Amino acid sequence: MLLVEFLREELRLTGTHVGCDTTQCGCCVVHLNGRPVKSCTVLAAQAHEAEVETIESLVASGDALHPMQQAFKDNHALQCGYCTPGMIMTAIAISERHASLTPEIVRRELEGNLCRCTGYLHIIDAIIEGADNMRRTAAKAER
């Protein structure tokens, strides 16, 4: 059983989407031990005793949105929303890998994630804003 199937069918965590089953679209990105992976290519057994973060794990029930989720909302970086969970999980990883982001860096890093609706402009803006918000939130927490 694939990790994406286990998450959706066994755990009922349906935020992780299946878009292609061939690692082409990125709709199924989750974090496995802190690294983004396409869960349609990971066996569920490979995640045994690993830390798996899904879009659902970003926010505790009733809390404010994660800074990246808020940036996607504020920048209208979604239309149908199907790719959004994978985009957000990828965006968080991008933000953690780079001290600062430019549109060029974001475009290059998003090559494994497809959106068929938006044209990416708002997604790129959201990722840059979300990364800045994540840094500000982390700085406040350290004080």
Side-chain angles (χ1 to χ4, degrees):
M1 175 177 269
L2 296 173
L3 180 56
V4 69
E5 294 167 336
F6 182 77
L7 293 171
R8 291 182 60 79
E9 296 169 18
E10 300 298 322
L11 299 181
R12 300 289 184 225
L13 297 173
T14 58
T16 303
H17 294 152
V18 179
C20 68
D21 281 330
T22 60
T23 75
Q24 301 299 310
C25 73
C27 290
C28 67
V29 172
V30 299
H31 293 183
L32 183 63
N33 291 328
R35 300 190 66 204
V37 298
K38 293 181 178 178
S39 60
C40 73
T41 60
V42 176
L43 294 173
Q46 291 174 287
H48 181 68
E49 296 188 5
E51 180 183 342
V52 178
E53 292 178 283
T54 67
I55 192 76
E56 291 93 347
S57 66
L58 295 181
V59 178
S61 180
D63 286 348
L65 293 174
H66 182 281
M68 190 62 72
Q69 289 174 306
Q70 188 65 50
F72 266 67
K73 178 182 175 192
D74 293 347
N75 285 276
H76 309 289
L78 53 96
Q79 285 183 11
C80 79
Y82 202 81
C83 70
T84 305
M87 285 282 187
I88 289 173
M89 298 305 288
T90 299
I92 291 169
I94 292 169
S95 300
E96 291 170 347
R97 279 196 305 275
H98 296 277
S100 67
L101 293 175
T102 63
E104 294 76 25
I105 290 170
V106 175
R107 271 190 216 95
R108 185 180 68 244
E109 291 272 351
L110 281 180
E111 283 183 6
N113 291 72
L114 299 178
C115 175
R116 292 176 175 94
C117 300
T118 67
Y120 298 94
L121 183 60
H122 296 296
I123 291 171
I124 292 167
D125 292 343
I127 292 171
I128 293 170
E129 182 178 308
D132 291 342
N133 293 343
M134 286 171 59
R135 286 184 196 87
R136 278 194 285 281
T137 300
K140 283 182 188 177
E142 290 177 2
R143 290 183 200 153

